[in-house]
């Protein structure tokens, strides 16, 4: 669109969009957008004005999101976009007043953009189109990380294009680093390497008992691993990660349960990268969009994404085992909600073609039994011949087998059912025992995907196999007043 046509927008050039953490700034921003929308409608300039770019990397407050949505619906994108880069963290906001386009505004915008270039220490460029995307990433991330910044994009008026992929980029911060695991890069790398080194070259399978296999396991398509703090489950998780043959993997699907946000479906991440103290992992945005087009998905807000630990606790291990090829892999994070059996089947069917692809790896995040009154689960079976019961704190130490042994038997039964690769049987086990396996829905989606590829009645000895290679408990519970969480690691192998 020519400058002559866009100059018609001059009467409504002063639409300020200020996004800050304060209530007053939010109100002003919402009112500014509302005023601009009204002016556009009254002058019939819908096709002549730039839209307010609707891809926001973190949810805006409702008071600004609503008028933004209205504006986006009215002002269709043509050539000029208002881009928002928002990184959660320190509440530092750099605000600039930008105008809807008039000739003078294009020149002012270019001046502002060159100030940005100076700010991010990118020099010796005469035109914005000369700046490669990697320069935007490397320069801007160093300076703008943990800040909220408004940047106007594509407002040069001479066809120069800012790397819009950068402007829309948001990094999921490692919010549990420093508490659930160390945020010191060298220490974390040392801990992960030590746990991986401690895994024997020949791993004994614990469910079913007795067999052994060399690691890594050629041809595995998935692992199951815990997501507790590394001091509790880091050594256990190493067994699953040591099974991974990383050579041909290009994409990692990470499925974890939602501990804080209630979902009846599955949700995808809107972030472009996931951060770890070791480095960042790129999210496969094209694949995320592909999934969105195929089924019913929700999108995680940045806050929901960063609050959830079941995904984050696997990221350091993912980075570590792929560190030599980290630029060649991408991540597809999926938060799995409290799904009905039929919904698990639906997502399993949807993900089955990706599981069948040998260039994809699925990582299923799950702890096993959460036992104790603080978890609301005190299942106890004194012997295999007796009926189970629920203990109370006043029961103290029961007369039968130790409580931890009852928990282990309960978990072993569940793991045995999972190795049978029968989605319906696992659901029946959960209905019968109510075992508090927090990742039971991600596990069920995996089983449903396997059953879609290999129907249970058609599975043979040479068919898919799932084996557990490590099982631990956070503590050996002897008294009904105590509590524990169980951890288990497994691998899934599929025929080539």
């Amino acid at each position: 669109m020519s400058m002559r046509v866009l100059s018609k927008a001059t009467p409504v050039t002063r639409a300020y969009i200020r996004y800050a953490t304060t209530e007053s700034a939010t109100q002003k921003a919402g009112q500014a957008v509302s005023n601009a929308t009204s002016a556009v409608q009254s002058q019939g300039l819908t096709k002549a004005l730039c839209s307010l770019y609707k891809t926001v990397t973190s949810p805006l407050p409702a008071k600004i999101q609503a008028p933004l949505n209205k504006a986006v619906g009215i002002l269709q994108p043509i050539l000029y976009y208002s881009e928002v880069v928002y990184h959660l963290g320190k509440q530092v906001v750099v605000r600039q007043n930008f105008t809807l386009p008039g000739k003078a505004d294009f020149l002012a915008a270019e001046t502002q953009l060159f100030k940005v270039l100076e700010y991010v220490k990118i020099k010796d460029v005469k035109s914005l189109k000369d700046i490669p995307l990697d320069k935007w990433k490397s320069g801007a991330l160093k300076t703008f990380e943990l800040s909220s910044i408004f940047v106007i994009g594509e407002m040069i008026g001479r066809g120069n294009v800012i790397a819009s992929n950068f402007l829309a980029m948001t990094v999921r911060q490692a919010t549990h680093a420093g508490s659930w695991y160390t945020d010191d890069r060298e220490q974390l790398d040392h801990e992960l390497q030590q746990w991986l080194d401690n895994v024997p070259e020949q791993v004994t399978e614990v469910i079913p008992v007795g067999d052994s296999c060399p690691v890594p396991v050629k041809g595995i398509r998935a692992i199951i691993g815990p997501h507790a703090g590394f001091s509790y489950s880091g050594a256990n998780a190493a067994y699953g990660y040591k099974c991974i043959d990383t050579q041909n993997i290009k994409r990692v699907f990470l499925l974890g349960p939602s501990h804080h946000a209630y979902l009846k479906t599955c949700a995808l991440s809107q972030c472009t990268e996931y951060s770890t103290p070791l480095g960042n992992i790129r999210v496969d945005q094209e694949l995320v969009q592909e999934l969105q087009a195929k089924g019913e998905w929700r999108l995680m807000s940045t806050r929901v994404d960063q609050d959830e630990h079941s995904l984050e606790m696997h990221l350091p291990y993912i980075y570590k085992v792929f560190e030599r090829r980290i630029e060649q892999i991408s991540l597809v994070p999926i938060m799995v909600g409290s799904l009905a059996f039929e919904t698990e089947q639906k997502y399993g069917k949807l993900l089955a073609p990706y599981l069948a692809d040998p260039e994809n790896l699925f990582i299923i995040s799950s702890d096993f039994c959460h036992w104790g009154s603080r978890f609301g689960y005190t299942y106890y079976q004194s012997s295999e011949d007796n009926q189970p019961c629920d203990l109370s704190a006043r029961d103290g130490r029961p007369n039968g087998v130790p409580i931890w042994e009852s928990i282990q038997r309960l978990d072993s039964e569940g793991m045995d059912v999972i190795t049978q690769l029968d989605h319906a049987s696992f659901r029946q086990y959960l209905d019968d025992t109510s075992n508090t396996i927090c990742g039971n829905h991600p596990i069920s989606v995996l089983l449903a995907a396997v059953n879609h590829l290999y129907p249970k009645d058609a599975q043979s000895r040479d068919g898919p196999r799932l084996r557990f290679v490590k099982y631990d408990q956070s503590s050996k519970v002897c008294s009904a007043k105590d509590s524990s969480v169980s951890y288990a690691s497994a691998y899934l192998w599929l025929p080539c």
Side-chain angles (χ1 to χ4, degrees):
M1 182 166 289
S2 69
M3 182 72 75
R4 180 178 58 81
V5 175
L6 284 169
S7 66
K8 295 180 181 180
T10 304
V12 285
T13 56
R14 310 309 298 175
Y16 299 113
I17 307 169
R18 298 183 179 181
Y19 177 41
T21 56
T22 63
E23 184 74 12
S24 60
T26 299
Q27 291 174 347
K28 289 178 181 178
Q31 188 60 50
V33 174
S34 178
N35 292 343
T37 300
S38 299
V40 169
Q41 287 177 307
S42 66
Q43 299 188 47
L45 299 175
T46 300
K47 294 183 179 180
L49 294 176
C50 71
S51 76
L52 300 171
Y53 192 71
K54 64 182 178 181
T55 303
V56 182
T57 63
S58 185
L60 294 172
K63 291 181 180 179
I64 186 172
Q65 187 69 64
L68 270 176
N69 289 342
K70 286 184 179 179
V72 168
I74 295 170
L75 310 175
Q76 296 301 315
I78 40 178
L79 181 60
Y80 304 101
Y81 299 91
S82 175
E83 303 272 10
V84 178
V85 177
Y86 178 54
H87 293 289
L88 286 174
K90 299 177 182 178
Q91 294 184 356
V92 177
V93 181
V94 177
R95 296 193 297 272
Q96 295 287 350
N97 294 340
F98 295 113
T99 66
L100 291 176
K103 184 173 182 179
D105 299 304
F106 291 135
L107 297 175
E110 184 170 15
T111 300
Q112 294 293 340
L113 285 164
F114 274 96
K115 287 184 178 179
V116 172
L117 295 182
E118 182 180 357
Y119 192 52
V120 299
K121 305 185 187 308
I122 298 177
K123 300 179 180 180
D124 301 323
V125 293
K126 296 181 180 180
S127 174
L128 294 174
K129 67 181 179 182
D130 297 331
I131 307 168
L133 179 60
D134 61 338
K135 288 291 185 181
W136 276 100
K137 287 184 177 181
S138 61
L141 281 179
K142 291 177 183 177
T143 308
F144 292 161
E145 191 175 13
L146 303 178
S147 301
S148 306
I149 304 157
F150 270 92
V151 180
I152 290 294
E154 295 188 16
M155 286 186 64
I156 309 310
R158 294 196 299 269
N160 297 338
V161 177
I162 294 177
S164 58
N165 285 341
F166 158 71
L167 292 174
M169 181 169 58
T170 182
V171 178
R172 182 206 182 279
Q173 300 301 318
T175 53
H176 295 76
S179 54
W180 291 55
Y181 59 100
T182 180
D183 57 359
D184 182 272
R185 177 190 175 95
E186 291 186 4
Q187 182 180 346
L188 178 60
D189 183 74
H190 175 74
E191 289 178 354
L192 295 174
Q193 188 63 58
Q194 189 172 47
W195 285 321
L196 290 167
D197 289 344
N198 288 340
V199 178
E201 295 182 359
Q202 194 84 9
V203 174
T204 301
E205 297 169 353
V206 295
I207 300 291
V209 178
D211 291 339
S212 62
C213 64
V215 292
V217 181
K218 299 293 183 181
I220 71 166
R221 301 293 172 78
I223 65 169
I224 297 173
H227 53 239
F230 279 176
S231 62
Y232 294 100
S233 68
N236 186 293
Y239 277 72
Y241 280 93
K242 195 66 176 284
C243 291
I244 298 173
D245 179 10
T246 63
Q247 186 174 359
N248 297 317
I249 302 300
K250 294 183 178 179
R251 185 184 295 116
V252 176
F253 286 75
L254 175 58
L255 280 65
S258 175
H259 288 83
H260 306 291
Y262 180 71
L263 294 171
K264 289 186 177 180
T265 59
C266 292
L268 300 168
S269 177
Q270 299 185 73
C271 295
T272 56
E273 292 184 357
Y274 271 33
S275 174
T276 82
L278 302 177
N280 291 4
I281 305 172
R282 177 176 60 87
V283 174
D284 193 327
Q285 293 177 288
E286 290 185 8
L287 198 284
V288 168
Q289 293 174 2
E290 182 179 310
L291 289 175
Q292 278 187 274
K294 292 183 177 181
E296 297 179 7
W297 301 86
R298 291 184 62 181
L299 292 176
M300 288 182 270
S301 68
T302 305
R303 180 174 181 178
V304 167
D305 201 338
Q306 293 187 148
D307 282 349
E308 182 52 58
H309 66 274
S310 71
L311 301 175
E312 180 177 337
M313 296 308 296
H314 283 269
L315 300 177
Y317 262 120
I318 293 173
Y319 191 98
K320 179 61 181 175
V321 299
F322 286 98
E323 62 183 342
R324 295 182 180 179
R325 301 179 53 247
I326 197 65
E327 299 297 330
Q328 301 172 33
I329 69 159
S330 60
L331 184 70
V332 183
I334 300 176
M335 181 182 288
V336 182
S338 299
L339 309 182
F341 180 78
E342 295 76 14
T343 309
E344 292 170 344
Q345 288 182 314
K346 180 182 72 174
Y347 283 107
K349 180 179 179 181
L350 192 154
L351 293 173
Y354 301 101
L355 180 65
D357 187 342
E359 292 185 341
N360 293 332
L361 173 73
F362 278 65
I363 295 177
I364 309 300
S365 177
S366 181
D367 295 333
F368 273 69
C369 183
H370 297 62
W371 198 96
S373 57
R374 69 189 184 100
F375 299 116
Y377 188 75
T378 55
Y379 177 104
Y380 177 72
Q381 190 175 17
S382 59
S383 70
E384 293 184 11
D385 298 328
N386 293 337
Q387 289 295 314
C389 64
D390 293 326
L391 298 179
S392 64
R394 64 176 178 272
D395 290 324
R397 294 173 180 261
N399 294 325
V401 299
I403 296 174
W404 67 264
E405 191 173 319
S406 171
I407 297 170
Q408 182 171 327
R409 185 189 302 134
L410 171 70
D411 281 332
S412 295
E413 181 184 348
M415 290 187 287
D416 184 65
V417 173
I418 293 170
T419 63
Q420 296 171 24
L421 295 173
D422 185 0
H423 179 207
S425 295
F426 183 52
R427 178 52 51 190
Q428 187 61 54
Y429 162 80
L430 294 170
D431 291 343
D432 291 343
T433 65
S434 298
N435 191 1
T436 48
I437 302 173
C438 59
N440 72 84
H441 293 294
I443 293 173
S444 293
V445 170
L446 176 68
L447 295 178
V450 173
N451 288 168
H452 182 75
L453 296 172
Y454 305 91
K456 181 62 180 174
D457 55 4
Q459 290 182 18
S460 66
R461 177 173 296 182
D462 297 326
R465 71 174 184 269
L466 192 151
R467 298 290 185 265
F468 282 87
V469 293
K470 186 64 173 172
Y471 174 80
D472 294 299
Q473 295 173 353
S474 61
S475 63
K476 298 293 187 182
V477 175
C478 294
S479 169
K481 297 179 181 180
D482 299 332
S483 64
S484 75
V485 178
S486 304
Y487 312 116
S489 288
Y491 71 85
L492 169 68
W493 177 88
L494 298 183
C496 295

